[in-house]
Amino acid sequence: MNSTPVSLQEVDRVEILTLMDNYVDVLLTNTDVVYRPPLAKGGEIPDDTLVAEHGLSMLITLYRDDEEHTILFDTGYSSIGVLHNMEMLEIDPAEIEAIVISHGHMDHTGTLYPILEKISAPIPLAIHPDAFASPRYFVLDDGRKLLFPQTLDRSKLEKLGVRLIESREATLIADDMALVTGEVERTTTFEKGLPNAYLERNGNMEKDPISDDQAIAVHVKGKGLVVISGCAHAGIINTILYIRKVTGVSDVHAVLGGFHLSGAFFEPIIEETINEIRKLDPKILVPMHCTGWKAIHRFSEEFPGSFILNSVGSRFTISS
């Protein structure tokens, strides 16, 4: 892992468009940070709508002077959801310059191949090498093993024009304006990963640390870090602390994404997570996807000034 800071370049503005999340609400209103898709266009309510699923996908657009770069971060669960929402939001897949996969689970890779089929030019895809690990299992309390689908295939990706950027280390993309964390150091005492995750390696079952879990960070001029997580299986606090370490930037302006605080194992660490978030004092806090209703509700209570409820189609804008 990186021991010296990387040179993450500042941006003037970042826009984060939610292409997929677990929740959609067409009645949410705009603020100075988030724009919601209009209920109607030209005085007519459409006969189709944005869809939600248990998955995550975001389109991240970076602006600096006259430069503009667009990154697709994760691709939802189903093979149709993200593309449907892109069409509803009038997003052309050809605009995507790079793709980042947070980790190898199916709810983050579902529309990857259909999207690649719509992109003619070769495209870089940043991914941790362990995202290709298989077979992976979720083991139930009664001993039953649920097999994760293997959705990632190197040869298939290369045939579709992908230039794989496989790295365990932090990597800069988009003309050094976005950081892909690579493998996140795990230093907190309370964030211990997904306990029921297992991996079969050389014929033996072992705990799966989901070491492929990675996030994206952007540094907005005059504001600080914008941290964008997939599921934060490494822990959202670990993720933020690691990004501060490798960038050398201490101010955390915004945290968006999945915090994985849902379910009986993770709900006991909600309050510890809140305590650590309070120390970091982000001005924008947007828990998504696997964070879970109980945690999202607690964040809304504890951080009324920074909490924003996410919904499919929401576009967050953070400017210098």
Side-chain angles (χ1 to χ4, degrees), residues 47 49 61 73 101 105 137 157 219 254 289 302 311:
D47 60 3
T49 185
T61 307
F73 184 47
I101 295 297
H105 288 170
Y137 297 92
L157 289 170
H219 185 193
H289 180 45
E302 293 294 326
S311 171

Side-chain angles (χ1 to χ4, degrees), residues 16 119 168 223 253:
I16 303 160
I119 299 173
R168 301 177 187 275
K223 293 288 180 67
H253 184 75

Side-chain angles (χ1 to χ4, degrees), residues 206-270:
E206 59 186 59
K207 286 274 192 176
D208 184 359
I210 316 180
S211 54
D212 47 317
D213 177 81
Q214 56 183 7
I216 291 179
V218 178
H219 185 193
V220 177
K221 188 185 303 179
K223 293 288 180 67
L225 293 169
V226 176
V227 174
I228 308 165
S229 67
C231 264
H233 285 295
I236 190 61
I237 303 303
N238 277 331
T239 300
I240 297 168
L241 295 178
Y242 185 61
I243 288 170
R244 293 175 72 189
K245 174 183 175 180
V246 299
T247 63
V249 180
S250 59
D251 291 338
V252 178
H253 184 75
V255 184
L256 309 90
F259 301 172
H260 215 292
L261 295 169
S262 179
F265 181 81
F266 293 99
E267 286 170 5
I269 69 167
I270 290 173

